[in-house]
Amino acid sequence: MPSATDGPIAHRPPRPPDPDGLGDSLVLPKWGASSVEQLAGATGTYSKPSSAISLDKEVEDKLRALSQRKKVKRKKSQILLNVTLTKYSVVRLVAEQFGALTGKDDDPNCFLFWSDSAVPVEKIAELKSYQKINHFPAMGEICRKDALARNMARMIRAHPDAYSFVPKTWIFPSEYSIFQNYARDIKRKRKHRTFIVKPANGAMGHGITLYRSHEKIPLNEHMIVQEYVDKPFLLDGYKFDLRVYVLMTSCDPLRLFLYHDGLVRMGTERYVMPNDNNVDQLFMHLTNYSINKKNDNFERSEDVSTGHKRSIKYLNDYLRKNDHDVNSVWNRIADLLVKTLIVAEPHIFHAYRMCRPGQIPGSDGVCFEILGFDILLDRKLRPWLIEINRAPSFGTDEKIDFDIKSGLIHDSFKLLNMKQSDKRRGLAAQKAESQRRLFGQAKRSDTDLTDLDKKRKSIEKRKQELKEKLAQVRRENAREDYENRNIGNFRRIYPPPDKFTAEKYDTLMSDAFHLFLSGRASTLKRDISKIFGGNLKEDEILDQLQQCDLEGRGKSAKGPRPLASMPSVVADEDPETDGMTYDIHEDDATPSELNSSTSSTRVSRPLGRATQPSPMLKQRPQSAQRPMSRPMSAAKNAYTTHRSRSLTRPSSSAMQNEEEAKAHAAAREREDELTRRTLCALNEMRIKFPGKTDEEAGWILDQINDNWKYHKPRIASYWLVKLDSIKRRKVIDIVRSNVRAVLQRTWRSSDVDSLRLYRIFNRVFNRLLWSHGQGLWNCFSTSGNSWETIFSKSSDVITPPEMSCCRRIVKLCRDCLLIVYQFAAEAKGQGASLSASIGEGVTHSNTRTTPNPSKTPIPHRSTLFSRTGTMSPGVAPPMTPLSQRMSRIYKSRSFDEL
Ligand code: ADP
């Protein structure tokens, strides 16, 4: 028997480091093939290995029958699969069920390439859009032991609790002294640890040694040292590990499926905690099949409850019978799998984008991969990640292998959804693209364009982007529907089924990307964030498209087309206008009156009624006033951009255990609390008039409101006519950027875009800009809460505090418009607009005459504003972020532009 203390049991030296960093499994496995392979070898291209173990008769019959049946079907099918680079007959046999096999690499009808080892990136790059290959680039980042340790270490530093499933690991020789310090420290505390030393790029247990004393560990190149999990869960007294299969169908966005069955691989000597006498007994401490099959004790069995290789199904039954919580074990394992692949995702995503640069995000990618995770359960049934294989063995030495692996491959192929129409569609898209390039109009330089044309062009561009996003979201929804119908023995683990878990993963994903990008070229950062930008759901995209349509249509006539709601007479360069009609239902309602009907308060005071649920909310049953599922937040989410559907689906499985339900409730409470805090902060916010105190600004707003009839036509003219869409957006952006700052502070998140609350606010902002600013203008009418209808069509239910925040934001935007309008009037020497209204009373809106500043007694500014103290720099009240921004704009004179 090989001895660990004698040195590594490997008779082969560890493999040299992988030059392209793609992982150990890039090398074709050399282990012996099974008799299934011999069987297939007779019909296929595979040559029969001499060391094959004979397979059960029943399995052989099954295989023969299967291959006969498929031969009949083969002619009908047009789908070709290239499996020449596999030595596993089970792969070929299953492939035959999905189409005909081909040996030609360049056959355009070939839909699938299967290789036992990883493939060069050039191969991935040259695939047609409808073709698939069974490896992703850069998977070596988690499949090589040293790369896994390096990438995990970064994530562990950022999220030690989330990644506590990885045994402590050191990469030698670089971390030799860190390791020695740690081991000495442990020793000082009189604790004892066993360490397992493995070649950095090893496999199948080669070169593995156990050490009880850290001093004896040699300083070798290319190896890793790991804390040994010394209290494993035992099955009949034997240590075992699990071979768990995960199917990754896409990296952009990430899609992961966990197979419901797998292998339980047991040691062949009864387990005893490591001591000086048994550390070299590798049949006891290592669970690799390739090692244990060499032991005379190794038992193959037809009976699922005996033998040294069993199924995960058997283990689940065993655990259930012994009153263990199987669901909780598998939820933990699924969590481990997702978190591990989150670490790999930025590397894979980037490498994939590099070789498929033109691929539309969310479209079916060309790569998929079946990964074999080795997982150890400790005495408390806590899973530990041991390693990940990108070329797990599909050898079928025993019936159990065949049953599990053929099912796994079959269900994987099914999920890939290869069909003839993909090819037709792919070729058509390719043709369209080449024609576009060939016949595309030469670009007109922007300098030749009129302002109107430029605007039209930018709207068209935006529309095009939105349409692409919409198509992407719909493609993903269709794909998800297909997956749900054909999920087979898989369970989707990413995107997760519930929003709470999604939110948790989003945070990790965001950090994984940040870690990956830190120190990289800013162009790469920009590219990735562009890909990930815009967290829009289908209904939000539709909202925005509608807005673009309206804007585009409005500009299709020569010059601005008057809206039904726009003033019929436009005063040039003067906010004061005659004879205007507006789309306000009660002409004479002042903003103050409107406040009381819609949001509640006077300009300079917080909203008193802000927390009252809106009529819309009141109509709903109480249960519906809670969001059905929680939002994602705090995460960068390019990433989650694409998965709106799966996130909104309520989870049944995740709610299964009480622990998760509690966690849900806690997260909900926390979020409600943060929303309430946001509301308080928003209520504290004031729009600052540049150079004036808050009181003075409040006073200005009061004056405008009190003399609404006078100001109304002027403000309407200013907002709806004078300002173009860019300037209108600038006004709204004053509030938007300050609201973002509040969210950043309150939610302690640098990634505000991914907060559900911000997404809600964004819909409100968009609504206010809707139809040339008519959205905001409507808010000055008695039906000032009509913007709330944007939520009535949405699948998301808005909570009362969220609605109150939205109302406050609408109020701030209205105040902002009034202040900007007043400022613009004063800047043009027409402080008259405010003062005239005072001098003349409120008669102007009825007479609809333009006040003549020379005839109107204009009080001096000093009579309008009490300057005592407040204007002196020493006693000026501290500036709110909003006032700071206003002041900055003021200083940069961009107000004048408005
Ligand atoms: P290889 O790729 O060479 O198979 P692994 O990392 O999978 O190397 O380790 C081989 C076996 O050693 C595992 O199947 C497991 O039984 C055991 N093992 C590895 N690491 C640990 C550990 N940290 N604690 C306990 N057992 C381990």
Side-chain angles (χ1 to χ4, degrees):
M1 196 182 68
S3 148
T5 45
D6 289 343
I9 56 165
H11 304 300
R12 262 194 309 179
R15 290 176 204 146
D18 189 10
D20 56 5
L22 288 176
D24 64 310
S25 38
L26 302 191
V27 183
L28 257 174
K30 294 190 178 68
W31 50 86
S34 71
S35 56
V36 175
E37 283 137 11
Q38 295 177 43
L39 179 72
T43 54
T45 52
Y46 182 65
S47 59
K48 184 173 171 178
S50 55
S51 60
I53 302 149
S54 97
L55 180 75
D56 179 75
K57 176 94 180 56
E58 193 192 325
V59 180
E60 288 190 18
D61 293 344
K62 237 193 223 174
L63 288 175
R64 260 196 208 102
L66 203 67
S67 86
Q68 285 303 323
R69 217 178 330 131
K70 290 305 128 195
K71 266 181 205 157
V72 179
K73 282 192 181 173
R74 183 181 296 177
K75 286 195 190 84
K76 290 185 205 159
S77 169
Q78 291 297 307
I79 289 182
L80 298 181
L81 303 101
N82 187 329
V83 290
T84 48
L85 288 180
T86 180
K87 64 176 188 168
Y88 300 115
S89 57
V90 68
V91 176
R92 278 198 298 278
L93 285 167
V94 177
E96 282 185 320
Q97 296 181 45
F98 287 83
L101 304 190
T102 175
K104 280 192 356 198
D105 244 17
D106 55 355
D107 193 329
N109 280 328
C110 186
F111 276 68
L112 182 131
F113 296 88
W114 183 289
S115 165
D116 289 344
S117 56
V119 286
V121 285
E122 295 78 26
K123 173 78 190 165
I124 298 175
E126 73 194 21
L127 290 180
K128 311 255 178 351
S129 61
Y130 55 88
Q131 294 180 319
K132 306 248 176 236
I133 196 154
N134 68 324
H135 292 286
F136 278 96
M139 196 55 97
E141 291 292 332
I142 53 165
C143 293
R144 266 186 68 114
K145 292 182 176 67
D146 52 353
L148 175 69
R150 191 181 54 243
N151 289 316
M152 278 293 184
R154 289 197 209 135
M155 262 321 244
I156 291 169
R157 269 196 292 278
H159 296 277
D161 294 340
Y163 283 83
S164 58
F165 55 80
V166 189
K168 278 201 174 60
T169 310
W170 298 267
I171 304 169
F172 272 29
S174 57
E175 294 176 350
Y176 179 77
S177 36
I178 304 173
F179 164 71
Q180 289 295 346
N181 289 341
Y182 170 83
R184 274 194 288 273
D185 200 34
I186 290 283
K187 202 171 172 188
R188 229 175 290 127
K189 290 177 186 158
R190 294 187 185 286
K191 290 183 191 164
H192 202 93
R193 293 278 189 281
T194 303
F195 298 100
I196 184 165
V197 179
K198 317 178 198 179
N201 197 15
M204 295 189 292
H206 289 298
I208 295 185
T209 321
L210 262 62
Y211 288 93
R212 295 264 298 152
S213 162
H214 67 96
E215 283 118 358
K216 289 190 187 157
I217 299 178
L219 178 57
N220 286 347
E221 292 282 310
H222 308 304
M223 60 183 221
I224 62 146
V225 176
Q226 201 168 63
E227 246 176 28
Y228 186 71
V229 180
D230 58 4
K231 296 187 186 83
F233 190 85
L234 302 180
L235 208 54
D236 300 345
Y238 295 98
K239 174 179 172 176
F240 67 91
D241 78 351
L242 306 177
R243 167 54 58 88
V244 175
Y245 297 102
V246 172
L247 169 69
M248 178 165 164
T249 56
S250 151
C251 66
D252 179 14
L254 183 61
R255 302 186 87 80
L256 301 174
F257 300 85
L258 163 62
Y259 196 63
H260 271 308
D261 209 351
L263 295 169
V264 175
R265 302 166 320 167
M266 300 164 72
T268 41
E269 295 285 342
R270 284 185 189 280
Y271 186 79
V272 179
M273 285 268 286
N275 58 44
D276 290 338
N277 299 324
N278 73 15
V279 277
D280 57 348
Q281 295 190 24
L282 298 178
F283 295 142
M284 174 188 291
H285 293 293
L286 306 194
T287 51
N288 303 72
Y289 168 67
S290 48
I291 289 183
N292 284 285
K293 72 178 180 188
K294 293 179 193 145
N295 191 352
D296 296 339
N297 295 348
F298 189 87
E299 218 183 290
R300 293 165 205 279
S301 173
E302 280 295 288
D303 182 354
V304 289
S305 58
T306 56
H308 288 106
K309 207 193 257 183
R310 301 183 195 176
S311 71
I312 282 181
K313 274 202 174 115
Y314 162 78
L315 176 74
N316 289 344
D317 289 343
Y318 174 89
L319 293 176
R320 232 172 261 126
K321 273 184 207 143
N322 289 283
D323 291 333
H324 295 292
D325 184 350
V326 177
N327 274 342
S328 143
V329 172
W330 281 99
N331 284 339
R332 280 191 199 176
I333 292 178
D335 189 54
L336 172 156
L337 302 171
V338 173
K339 284 174 177 169
T340 304
L341 282 157
I342 282 176
V343 170
E345 170 66 6
H347 301 270
I348 299 171
F349 179 91
H350 175 55
Y352 185 80
R353 285 247 144 217
M354 290 289 111
C355 44
R356 311 277 313 167
Q359 183 162 326
I360 305 163
S363 62
D364 282 353
V366 294
C367 297
F368 72 97
E369 190 139 6
I370 298 176
L371 295 163
F373 277 73
D374 292 350
I375 288 167
L376 199 72
L377 294 178
D378 69 14
R379 218 175 260 180
K380 292 181 180 164
L381 285 173
R382 242 184 87 180
W384 292 87
L385 175 68
I386 300 300
E387 77 154 342
I388 304 130
N389 296 280
R390 68 180 316 187
S393 166
F394 287 103
T396 43
D397 283 6
E398 296 179 40
K399 180 174 179 293
I400 185 175
D401 289 311
F402 180 79
D403 288 347
I404 292 171
K405 293 170 188 176
S406 61
L408 167 69
I409 301 168
H410 177 275
D411 288 1
S412 302
F413 282 4
K414 193 101 185 119
L415 273 182
L416 294 182
N417 191 17
M418 294 173 283
K419 50 190 183 319
Q420 277 298 328
S421 56
D422 290 346
K423 185 179 155 199
R424 277 198 300 274
R425 226 180 295 139
L427 292 177
Q430 210 175 316
K431 199 172 157 193
E433 176 63 18
S434 49
Q435 286 195 337
R436 194 186 60 78
R437 273 200 225 122
L438 196 63
F439 303 116
Q441 282 177 351
K443 262 195 174 173
R444 227 173 109 191
S445 116
D446 265 12
T447 44
D448 304 343
L449 300 178
T450 63
D451 279 357
L452 186 60
D453 282 344
K454 276 185 201 161
K455 195 176 283 175
R456 212 178 284 153
K457 203 172 148 195
S458 96
I459 291 174
E460 275 311 310
K461 198 172 155 214
R462 173 89 186 121
K463 257 172 81 176
Q464 199 49 40
E465 283 168 7
L466 286 168
K467 278 183 187 165
E468 275 165 21
K469 263 189 199 150
L470 186 65
Q472 180 189 332
V473 169
R474 287 182 172 162
R475 253 195 318 269
E476 279 174 27
N477 291 345
R479 178 178 177 160
E480 203 172 303
D481 284 346
Y482 173 85
E483 285 170 357
N484 291 343
R485 279 182 278 118
N486 295 278
I487 198 119
N489 211 9
F490 278 112
R491 157 189 169 188
R492 189 201 316 276
I493 52 173
Y494 195 93
D498 63 301
K499 277 199 173 179
F500 170 68
T501 318
E503 188 182 347
K504 187 176 77 179
Y505 291 151
D506 288 345
T507 311
L508 298 177
M509 187 70 85
S510 159
D511 288 353
F513 269 91
H514 281 137
L515 289 171
F516 172 76
L517 289 173
S518 59
R520 285 181 198 248
S522 54
T523 45
L524 175 62
K525 292 183 191 179
R526 215 178 31 240
D527 285 354
I528 290 194
S529 56
K530 212 159 108 192
I531 293 159
F532 279 166
N535 261 338
L536 298 177
K537 285 186 182 177
E538 192 173 339
D539 48 1
E540 289 167 332
I541 299 172
L542 286 170
D543 271 1
Q544 292 193 17
L545 262 176
Q546 191 191 11
Q547 192 181 319
C548 279
D549 264 346
L550 287 164
E551 281 185 32
R553 246 184 284 142
K555 296 291 171 193
S556 60
K558 206 176 172 207
R561 185 180 71 95
L563 292 176
S565 54
M566 280 173 81
S568 51
V569 178
V570 175
D572 188 33
E573 292 301 309
D574 192 335
E576 302 175 1
T577 315
D578 270 1
M580 294 178 177
T581 55
Y582 307 98
D583 194 12
I584 287 185
H585 304 287
E586 289 195 21
D587 258 358
D588 292 335
T590 68
S592 316
E593 288 159 1
L594 302 174
N595 283 343
S596 60
S597 69
T598 57
S599 45
S600 82
T601 184
R602 278 156 53 85
V603 174
S604 54
R605 256 159 252 132
L607 293 173
R609 255 187 57 188
T611 49
Q612 294 291 315
S614 76
M616 196 183 87
L617 283 169
K618 277 184 198 159
Q619 282 162 18
R620 301 184 182 198
Q622 192 61 35
S623 59
Q625 292 187 19
R626 285 236 117 266
M628 287 163 70
S629 44
R630 300 316 290 172
M632 25 181 195
S633 72
K636 177 78 202 154
N637 234 318
Y639 209 81
T640 46
T641 306
H642 320 299
R643 47 206 62 104
S644 53
R645 279 271 293 271
S646 57
L647 297 183
T648 47
R649 189 181 309 121
S651 153
S652 55
S653 61
M655 295 299 290
Q656 275 166 1
N657 66 53
E658 209 181 312
E659 222 174 79
E660 282 197 22
K662 273 190 203 151
H664 270 261
R668 256 202 314 266
E669 262 171 39
R670 181 174 168 271
E671 201 168 299
D672 286 346
E673 174 56 27
L674 288 175
T675 307
R676 274 191 290 274
R677 273 193 232 163
T678 307
L679 180 60
C680 290
L682 292 178
N683 283 340
E684 291 299 311
M685 277 168 79
R686 299 289 180 279
I687 306 292
K688 172 93 178 156
F689 195 109
K692 300 191 200 304
T693 63
D694 280 355
E695 288 74 39
E696 287 166 340
W699 189 89
I700 292 171
L701 291 171
D702 284 348
Q703 288 305 316
I704 297 175
N705 291 327
D706 293 346
N707 299 294
W708 181 241
K709 282 189 181 170
Y710 171 81
H711 290 289
K712 194 181 97 183
R714 288 156 185 81
I715 295 169
S717 163
Y718 181 66
W719 174 246
L720 296 171
V721 182
K722 274 195 77 183
L723 299 189
D724 62 14
S725 63
I726 297 170
K727 286 173 183 168
R728 274 194 293 266
R729 192 171 286 276
K730 273 189 183 174
V731 173
I732 297 295
D733 280 351
I734 294 172
V735 179
R736 194 199 302 258
S737 61
N738 283 279
V739 166
R740 286 177 67 93
V742 164
L743 287 173
Q744 234 164 31
R745 270 199 313 276
T746 315
W747 293 69
R748 286 180 205 284
S749 165
S750 54
D751 181 24
V752 167
D753 299 285
S754 58
L755 293 179
R756 168 189 151 90
L757 195 57
Y758 182 68
R759 289 170 39 159
I760 293 174
F761 292 170
N762 236 349
R763 297 191 69 190
V764 175
F765 288 129
N766 286 336
R767 175 65 186 204
L768 298 183
L769 289 167
W770 170 77
S771 186
H772 305 272
Q774 186 70 45
L776 179 59
W777 187 238
N778 286 349
C779 298
F780 287 92
S781 76
T782 39
S783 60
N785 57 355
S786 59
W787 57 270
E788 293 178 14
T789 53
I790 52 172
F791 298 123
S792 59
K793 289 178 211 148
S794 169
S795 51
D796 266 345
V797 179
I798 308 297
T799 62
E802 285 167 348
M803 200 59 177
S804 302
C805 288
C806 292
R807 288 205 200 96
R808 177 63 186 154
I809 279 175
V810 171
K811 177 69 175 58
L812 286 169
C813 288
R814 284 174 26 179
D815 288 357
C816 192
L817 168 59
L818 298 184
I819 293 277
V820 170
Y821 150 78
Q822 178 58 27
F823 181 87
E826 284 192 17
K828 288 199 160 72
Q830 291 157 359
S833 66
L834 179 66
S835 45
S837 70
I838 297 161
E840 300 279 297
V842 284
T843 55
H844 301 286
S845 64
N846 295 333
T847 55
R848 305 233 187 269
T849 54
T850 308
N852 180 346
S854 61
K855 287 186 189 157
T856 312
I858 307 170
H860 189 265
R861 280 168 65 100
S862 58
T863 62
L864 287 174
F865 306 115
S866 153
R867 290 171 178 266
T868 47
T870 51
M871 292 307 288
S872 130
V875 286
M879 275 189 171
T880 60
L882 200 55
S883 56
Q884 279 168 11
R885 185 167 154 75
M886 295 286 283
S887 164
R888 259 203 313 278
I889 291 172
Y890 172 58
K891 279 182 197 141
S892 68
R893 306 191 63 77
S894 52
F895 254 38
D896 291 343
E897 291 167 29
L898 295 173

